[in-house]
Amino acid sequence: MDQPSARPRPVRLLFSWRSWTILALLSVLSLVLAACGGGGSPTFTLSGYVRSANGATPIGGAQVAVPSVNTVATTNSNGWYQLVGLPRNSGNLSVVVTAANYEPVNQVITPPAGPSATQNFLLQPVNPGGSAGVAGTVTYTTDSWVMGASATRSWPPAASSTSMVRPTFAPPVSRPARHVTVELRPGASGVPFGSSDYVVQSMMEQVRDLLAGSGLPKLNYRVFPYMERLGRRLATIEVPAGMTAELLAQRLQSSNAVLRARPAQYVYPTSYPVRLPNDPSYSQQYQYNLLGMPQTWALQPDAGSERVAVIDTGVRFEHPDLRGNLLSGYDFVDNDSDPTDPGSDTTFSSHGTHVAGLISARTNNGFQVAGTAWYTSIIPFRSLQPSDRTPIEYTTEAIAAAASPQYHADVINLSLGVEGQPDPDTQQLFRDAINGAIAAGATVVAASGNDLSGQAPVSWPAAYQPVIAVGAIDQSKARAYFSNSGPELDVMAPGVNVLSTSWNKPANSYDPDRASGTSMATPIVSGIVALMRAAGLSPNQVSTVLAQTAMDIGQPGKDNETGYGVINPYLAVASASGAGPDQLWIGFVTPDGTPLSQAVHPSFTPTSQGNWSYSVTGVRAGSGFVFAWLDVNRDGQLDEGDYVGKYPQGSTPITIAAGQSISAPLTAGIFSGAGATAAGRSVDVQMVSQAQRLWEGLIKAIPAGKTRASAP
């Protein structure tokens, strides 16, 4: 019987289906890692050239080493090197380059994602005779730097250059208070602090109950609901005839509803109006050329996005050169929604209208005068009488209102000051209102005050530290004799014979007029702050930038008479784009453009020597200039509008010996070079050519790895 044929035996799989799935996933992962470089070589090659600092001379025989991995390469006669097998997965690597007669360079590099990277090195020659040093201060100005005879300014006009401006009224003398300030206890009538509405009626009920309980039910009073939102429930009560403020305060203080009662303190306008021959044109507004506003407007012509609160005597809404820039505000004197300035019966009738025009008169419209910040919106608040005092609560309420969501002012201008030294409670009222405004994002600018001797301290609220306190200078950048002084003073601005929008009530004329005082300097600063903010600076940056960019005058460094110096709008606005004063490059360069040092940045430390200082070490012996350059438009080139400085300022270089240290103070101004002749300006062509050569040498001295406009 035939045997049946054997059935074929099935082949047994060595892997289950789950195993095949895992294998497939591992294959895909392997491909992904390879695509990401994980499957490639764990090393890379670094190559490049080593040259001298001028970038043109190759250095042969230089050692390029990575000490952490014991890898060294030597450059050939062309300065070329190659390092092979550097690890890619061990983090950043430190590369050290050394060569005979050159300063060593140590630079950290990041391994590339690919198999190779290029890195060139520039080495500074070593002075075999020893190192020298150059150090000094840096002063920034808004003057043109490379100009001929026309660099001398034609301001002030001859008619006003020698005459001393006299005020038409003196600072107010102390008089008996006409009001009593009362702070009410919270919840005296069931009213909580910080209520979502302003609880005006409930606050008024508290005051009526207080007066009735004191036997004085018919006295006039005011409440301040905006300050109530900041935790201060305040009222002012008029003193009746036959009673002193001190007696009324004592009487009211006896009520359990009262936290404290005191005679009111007052604020007053800080301007000294003068009348000069009127020429309503931009060319007569000397402050703009003095501060370099034409250059500033080229960077940031307007601040249409900003809202500036003018807390003052009100404004004239019908003024032809303000219409269109005025928003709705409030009158805290008459307690209504119409902050129109009623005016005084003098030729200079509206302090607030003059202030508003300096901030934002309609500009570039072929009519009357220019404002500092074009197209900026003005929110007028009336808290002052045109020629009299008002209780400070009107002003603190206006500050609180300006920063509220209803008005949301970006800048608050206070061309006013408290008469005399305010008591601690008055100071605290200002602190509360100003702190609330700053917390809401506003920048507060205030006048330092006017005293005929100029010896009075900075007035409140300018004396409060977060406020930008402004003093006044004249046409020659000298401190005005009436400008108050003290350690609280921040910056100075033109405040003598300043032309702006005005109103002559007796003649019903809207012709521009001149006025003097820190009241005039303050709105110029407020307008510049609006430009700074519109350019991109945050509220927290404004004060610091104003201090660091100011043009130091008077005693070197910050001082009580001039603060940090004259406001520099050009450099302040440029700082918003990263071209601040700390970006200035400084080095020692020969007349033919050979660098004798590395370039450095200055540092800001206000001292008795100045605000900005620098120190260049490792200088090689030779003849040259200390040259400085700030790339304002950040294009990497020397062109008009950049900041430039040189020491010495003439055409003859200085000679520095090995081991010698010299002092070289720098004054940096706005470069006016190649385009100046075409623009019709007188220019020293040799100076322009020399500046170009020095600049070419300076950029060779910028340390490797730094851009021409980079900070350390």
Side-chain angles (χ1 to χ4, degrees):
M1 184 175 180
D2 294 335
Q3 295 291 325
S5 62
R7 299 176 61 185
R9 305 182 70 178
V11 178
R12 198 168 220 182
L13 295 175
L14 297 178
F15 298 97
S16 68
W17 66 269
R18 291 185 181 88
S19 298
W20 281 110
T21 302
I22 294 172
L23 183 61
L25 289 174
L26 289 173
S27 299
V28 172
L29 180 60
S30 177
L31 290 173
V32 170
L33 289 174
C36 295
S41 171
T43 63
F44 72 100
T45 299
L46 181 70
S47 61
Y49 289 89
V50 178
R51 297 186 176 97
S52 63
N54 62 14
T57 305
I59 302 176
Q63 301 289 306
V64 183
V66 181
S68 63
V69 293
N70 267 341
T71 303
V72 181
T74 302
T75 60
N76 63 18
S77 59
N78 294 321
W80 188 80
Y81 74 93
Q82 184 179 63
L83 291 167
V84 180
L86 298 180
R88 251 189 322 140
N89 303 319
S90 301
N92 292 343
L93 299 173
S94 177
V95 181
V96 179
V97 184
T98 56
N101 300 322
Y102 287 91
E103 297 284 354
V105 168
N106 189 335
Q107 188 163 328
V108 175
I109 65 168
T110 300
S116 63
T118 300
Q119 179 66 56
N120 299 322
F121 296 95
L122 298 178
L123 305 188
Q124 289 284 349
V126 172
N127 177 18
S131 293
V134 180
T137 57
V138 180
T139 301
Y140 297 91
T141 78
T142 52
D143 294 332
S144 295
W145 185 76
V146 184
M147 294 290 288
S150 62
T152 303
R153 298 187 181 280
S154 59
W155 297 103
S160 59
S161 60
T162 58
S163 59
M164 186 176 185
V165 178
R166 297 296 301 172
T168 57
F169 63 89
V173 296
S174 179
R175 290 174 283 172
R178 302 192 306 267
H179 303 79
V180 167
T181 296
V182 173
E183 183 158 7
L184 303 168
R185 291 185 184 278
S189 292
V191 182
F193 275 132
S195 181
S196 58
D197 60 13
Y198 296 146
V199 295
V200 176
Q201 294 302 321
S202 299
M203 294 175 69
M204 293 172 66
E205 181 182 341
Q206 286 183 271
V207 179
R208 285 195 295 267
D209 291 346
L210 169 65
L211 294 178
S214 302
L216 301 166
K218 295 186 178 180
L219 295 186
N220 294 323
Y221 64 90
R222 284 281 303 280
V223 296
F224 302 92
Y226 282 101
M227 286 298 293
E228 188 272 341
R229 296 184 69 187
L230 299 176
R232 303 297 296 271
R233 185 161 298 151
L234 303 168
T236 54
I237 300 170
E238 289 189 12
V239 178
M243 183 182 288
T244 65
E246 289 75 14
L247 182 59
L248 177 59
Q250 183 180 1
R251 190 164 173 177
L252 296 173
Q253 184 69 66
S254 64
S255 171
N256 289 332
V258 175
L259 279 173
R260 60 185 64 84
R262 58 169 174 77
Q265 292 196 283
Y266 298 90
V267 292
Y268 64 95
T270 54
S271 70
Y272 292 126
V274 296
R275 184 72 178 180
L276 296 176
N278 178 40
D279 184 6
S281 65
Y282 162 75
S283 63
Q284 292 300 307
Q285 293 180 282
Y286 75 88
Q287 69 267 23
Y288 296 137
N289 279 328
L290 191 72
L291 296 179
M293 287 308 301
Q295 294 92 335
T296 305
W297 289 327
L299 295 178
Q300 183 68 39
D302 69 82
S305 60
E306 304 303 301
R307 299 157 65 97
V308 180
V310 174
I311 298 176
D312 215 285
T313 62
V315 299
R316 298 302 297 185
F317 280 85
E318 72 278 13
H319 194 288
D321 212 17
L322 289 174
R323 280 199 304 259
N325 287 354
L326 298 175
L327 302 178
S328 298
Y330 198 84
D331 184 342
F332 292 100
V333 177
D334 293 336
N335 205 23
D336 59 41
S337 60
D338 180 14
T340 298
D341 191 342
S344 61
D345 294 325
T346 66
T347 57
F348 185 83
S349 305
S350 179
H351 183 271
T353 297
H354 198 276
V355 168
L358 286 169
I359 297 170
S360 185
R362 295 181 62 197
T363 306
N364 206 29
N365 62 349
F367 184 72
Q368 285 204 357
V369 294
T372 304
W374 303 3
Y375 314 126
T376 301
S377 297
I378 299 292
I379 313 171
F381 293 97
R382 184 175 175 235
S383 73
L384 303 176
Q385 297 278 28
S387 57
D388 201 358
R389 312 176 299 168
T390 52
I392 66 107
E393 287 75 16
Y394 293 11
T395 295
T396 54
E397 180 78 345
I399 296 170
S404 71
Q406 183 176 354
Y407 297 104
H408 56 85
D410 301 294
V411 184
I412 297 176
N413 185 91
L414 300 170
S415 290
L416 50 85
V418 174
E419 106 187 339
Q421 181 65 19
D423 60 36
D425 189 60
T426 296
Q427 295 181 18
Q428 190 58 48
L429 284 180
F430 274 117
R431 289 190 187 99
D432 290 341
I434 290 166
N435 288 345
I438 292 173
T443 303
V444 183
V445 186
S448 66
N450 308 315
D451 180 78
L452 293 182
S453 67
Q455 301 302 310
V458 173
S459 64
W460 272 78
Y464 183 36
Q465 191 274 328
V467 175
I468 298 169
V470 182
I473 57 169
D474 62 16
Q475 295 95 321
S476 63
K477 289 186 182 177
R479 172 177 170 255
Y481 74 95
F482 52 74
S483 187
N484 289 5
S485 60
E488 306 86 356
L489 188 62
D490 291 306
V491 292
M492 310 292 282
V496 176
N497 292 347
V498 179
L499 189 71
S500 181
T501 50
S502 189
W503 180 47
N504 181 335
K505 183 176 181 179
N508 194 29
S509 168
Y510 294 94
D511 288 342
D513 202 355
R514 295 187 184 274
S516 296
T518 53
S519 272
M520 282 61 253
T522 301
I524 293 173
V525 173
S526 290
I528 292 166
V529 168
L531 289 172
M532 294 167 63
R533 292 184 54 145
L537 289 172
S538 70
N540 293 333
Q541 293 175 305
V542 168
S543 294
T544 300
V545 171
L546 283 177
Q548 293 187 357
T549 57
M551 298 176 276
D552 195 11
I553 62 172
Q555 301 176 28
K558 188 177 189 293
D559 58 74
N560 290 349
E561 286 72 37
T562 61
Y564 290 100
V566 178
I567 191 169
N568 186 337
Y570 184 64
L571 195 51
V573 169
S575 297
S577 64
D582 59 334
Q583 301 296 289
L584 189 77
W585 285 113
I586 305 170
F588 195 73
V589 184
T590 66
D592 64 358
T594 300
L596 298 181
S597 75
Q598 281 200 331
V600 301
H601 288 306
S603 59
F604 181 78
T605 308
T607 66
S608 58
Q609 284 73 47
N611 290 334
W612 286 95
S613 61
Y614 73 95
S615 178
V616 181
T617 59
V619 180
R620 290 186 291 151
S623 296
F625 297 89
V626 181
F627 190 74
W629 168 61
L630 172 60
D631 189 11
V632 171
N633 62 3
R634 299 179 66 80
D635 66 350
Q637 300 297 319
L638 174 65
D639 36 32
E640 290 204 36
D642 287 351
Y643 260 91
V644 171
K646 186 184 72 169
Y647 181 89
Q649 294 186 3
S651 57
T652 303
I654 56 173
T655 299
I656 186 168
Q660 183 183 10
S661 295
I662 63 173
S663 175
L666 282 168
T667 297
I670 301 173
F671 181 64
S672 180
T677 303
R681 301 195 299 274
S682 174
V683 173
D684 187 328
V685 177
Q686 287 185 335
M687 290 285 283
V688 174
S689 177
Q690 184 189 73
Q692 183 69 33
R693 290 194 301 272
L694 294 175
W695 172 80
E696 290 170 356
L698 180 68
I699 62 173
K700 298 172 186 175
I702 295 176
K706 303 292 185 182
T707 65
R708 297 178 184 180
S710 71

